[in-house]
C-alpha cells in the first residue's frame, strides 16, 4: 500500500517514518483510534537502544545495508477486551531496524511459553500468538512511502479461522485508514506539531553545541583516530 503525505516541515519525515508508524501501533491512545478491541498495549520491558543489546544485535547481523540498524527493541504486552470472544493476551518481542535510505522494518514475534513468568500480575487470559509480524516502510518519493504489512496470527482457544479472519482483516483496514489520515493531516495536525517539535529540539541542540564551542567549554581533537576518515561513534560512514 502506498501512502502520500504533505511534507509540512523542513525536518525530513523519512527520519521518523518508522518511529511514527511504531507509535501508532504501540501507543495505547493511538491504538484505540483504530483497534476497538484493545484494552492494554504497552512496552512492559523496554530496552535502552543505546544498551549492549542493540549493539550486540548490530554486531551479530553485521550487514547493515541488508538488515538495517537496530534502533529499538523490547517486550510488549497486549490484552483485548471482552467481546464476541473472551479476552486474549500476548507477550511479544519486537524491534525496529532502520536503513540509510530512510526505510524501516518493524518486527515482532510471540515469546515462548517458557517466558510466561514475564506476564504482568493479574488474571491470565487465553494466549494469542503472533507467529510473525512485520511492517516494512520504504520511501518512494519525498512525499510518499510504501507499506508492506505481514501478520501471521493464531488467536488461540481453538476457534475456526473463518470466524476470526474477517475481524483481523477489518482491524488492519482500520489501521491503514487511520495512518492515511494521520500522514495527510497537514498544517496544525498532530504530525505537523510533532515534526516542528523535533525540528526545534534539533536546532536547540545545535545552538547549545555552538555556544559551548564559542565559550571554549567543548574541545574537539580532530587528530584523534576516531575522527579520521569521517569515522565517529555517532556518524558511521
Amino acid at each position: 500500500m502506498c501512502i502520500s503525505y504533505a511534507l509540512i516541515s523542513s525536518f525530513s519525515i523519512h527520519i521518523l517514518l518508522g518511529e511514527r508508524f511504531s507509535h501508532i501501533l504501540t501507543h495505547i491512545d493511538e491504538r484505540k483510534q483504530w483497534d476497538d478491541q484493545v484494552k492494554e498495549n504497552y512496552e512492559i520491558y523496554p530496552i535502552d537502544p543505546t544498551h549492549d543489546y542493540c549493539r550486540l544485535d548490530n554486531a551479530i547481523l553485521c550487514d547493515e545495508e541488508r538488515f538495517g540498524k537496530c534502533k529499538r527493541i523490547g517486550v510488549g504486552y497486549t490484552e483485548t477486551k471482552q467481546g464476541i470472544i473472551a479476552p486474549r493476551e500476548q507477550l511479544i518481542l519486537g524491534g525496529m531496524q532502520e536503513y540509510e535510505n530512510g526505510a524501516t522494518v518493524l518486527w515482532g514475534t510471540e515469546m515462548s511459553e517458557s517466558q510466561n513468568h514475564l506476564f504482568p500480575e493479574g488474571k491470565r487470559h487465553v494466549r494469542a500468538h503472533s507467529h510473525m509480524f512485520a511492517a516494512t516502510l520504504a520511501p518512494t518519493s519525498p512525499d510518499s512511502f510504501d507499506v508492506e504489512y505481514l501478520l501471521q496470527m493464531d488467536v488461540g482457544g481453538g476457534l475456526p479461522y473463518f470466524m476470526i479472519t474477517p475481524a483481523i482483516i477489518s482491524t488492519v483496514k482500520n489501521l491503514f485508514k487511520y495512518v492515511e489520515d494521520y500522514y495527510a493531516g497537514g498544517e496544525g495536525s498532530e504530525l505537523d506539531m510533532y515534526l516542528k517539535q523535533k525540528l526545534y529540539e534539533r536546532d536547540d541542540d545545535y545552538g547549545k553545541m555552538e555556544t559551548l564551542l564559542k565559550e571554549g567549554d567543548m574541545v574537539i581533537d580532530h587528530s584523534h583516530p576516531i575522527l579520521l576518515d569521517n569515522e565517529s561513534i555517532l556518524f558511521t560512514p
Side-chain angles (χ1 to χ4, degrees):
M1 179 176 186
C2 182
I3 294 176
S4 299
Y5 55 88
L7 190 58
I8 45 187
S9 169
S10 58
F11 190 89
S12 175
I13 196 173
H14 289 164
I15 299 173
L16 302 166
L17 269 183
E19 192 277 339
R20 285 292 83 193
F21 202 94
S22 175
H23 177 73
I24 291 171
L25 291 175
T26 60
H27 191 280
I28 185 62
D29 291 335
E30 294 287 347
R31 182 89 180 210
K32 287 180 178 179
Q33 300 301 312
W34 56 270
D35 184 357
D36 58 9
Q37 287 300 306
V38 68
K39 180 180 179 181
E40 297 284 356
N41 194 71
Y42 59 93
E43 197 172 18
I44 189 170
Y45 298 110
I47 299 173
D48 186 345
T50 63
H51 195 276
D52 287 340
Y53 289 108
C54 273
R55 291 202 292 271
L56 179 61
D57 178 38
N58 291 327
I60 292 173
L61 294 177
C62 294
D63 190 348
E64 291 184 10
E65 183 177 352
R66 181 179 179 187
F67 299 110
K69 188 172 184 178
C70 176
K71 300 298 291 186
R72 184 179 180 186
I73 189 170
V75 177
Y77 173 75
T78 299
E79 179 185 344
T80 62
K81 299 176 182 177
Q82 174 70 52
I84 298 177
I85 64 174
R88 298 295 195 264
E89 63 181 352
Q90 292 184 260
L91 196 65
I92 300 174
L93 173 67
M96 180 167 68
Q97 303 290 121
E98 288 187 351
Y99 295 78
E100 289 187 1
N101 66 353
T104 301
V105 175
L106 305 172
W107 60 271
T109 187
E110 196 75 25
M111 301 284 283
S112 68
E113 301 291 339
S114 64
Q115 306 300 318
N116 283 358
H117 62 280
L118 296 176
F119 273 113
E121 294 183 1
K123 181 181 178 180
R124 298 274 64 84
H125 304 290
V126 174
R127 180 85 174 269
H129 290 83
S130 292
H131 299 296
M132 182 180 292
F133 159 76
T136 303
L137 295 79
T140 53
S141 77
D143 60 356
S144 66
F145 61 95
D146 278 340
V147 183
E148 181 184 79
Y149 190 91
L150 171 66
L151 178 63
Q152 296 177 342
M153 187 174 191
D154 180 358
V155 299
L159 294 174
Y161 287 108
F162 74 84
M163 291 180 57
I164 304 302
T165 300
I168 294 177
I169 292 174
S170 176
T171 301
V172 174
K173 286 182 177 179
N174 289 340
L175 163 62
F176 278 104
K177 178 62 170 66
Y178 182 73
V179 168
E180 281 189 298
D181 292 341
Y182 181 89
Y183 281 96
E187 189 72 26
S189 67
E190 179 184 344
L191 179 61
D192 180 39
M193 300 304 293
Y194 180 80
L195 291 176
K196 287 177 178 176
Q197 177 62 31
K198 286 296 180 180
L199 180 62
Y200 171 81
E201 292 172 0
R202 184 196 66 175
D203 289 345
D204 191 44
D205 287 340
Y206 287 166
K208 290 176 182 177
M209 183 176 292
E210 289 177 359
T211 300
L212 290 171
L213 288 170
K214 289 177 181 178
E215 294 176 351
D217 295 331
M218 180 180 291
V219 178
I220 299 177
D221 180 6
H222 290 280
S223 66
H224 194 283
I226 203 169
L227 295 178
L228 297 179
D229 299 323
N230 295 323
E231 293 184 10
S232 72
I233 295 176
L234 297 179
F235 300 101
T236 304

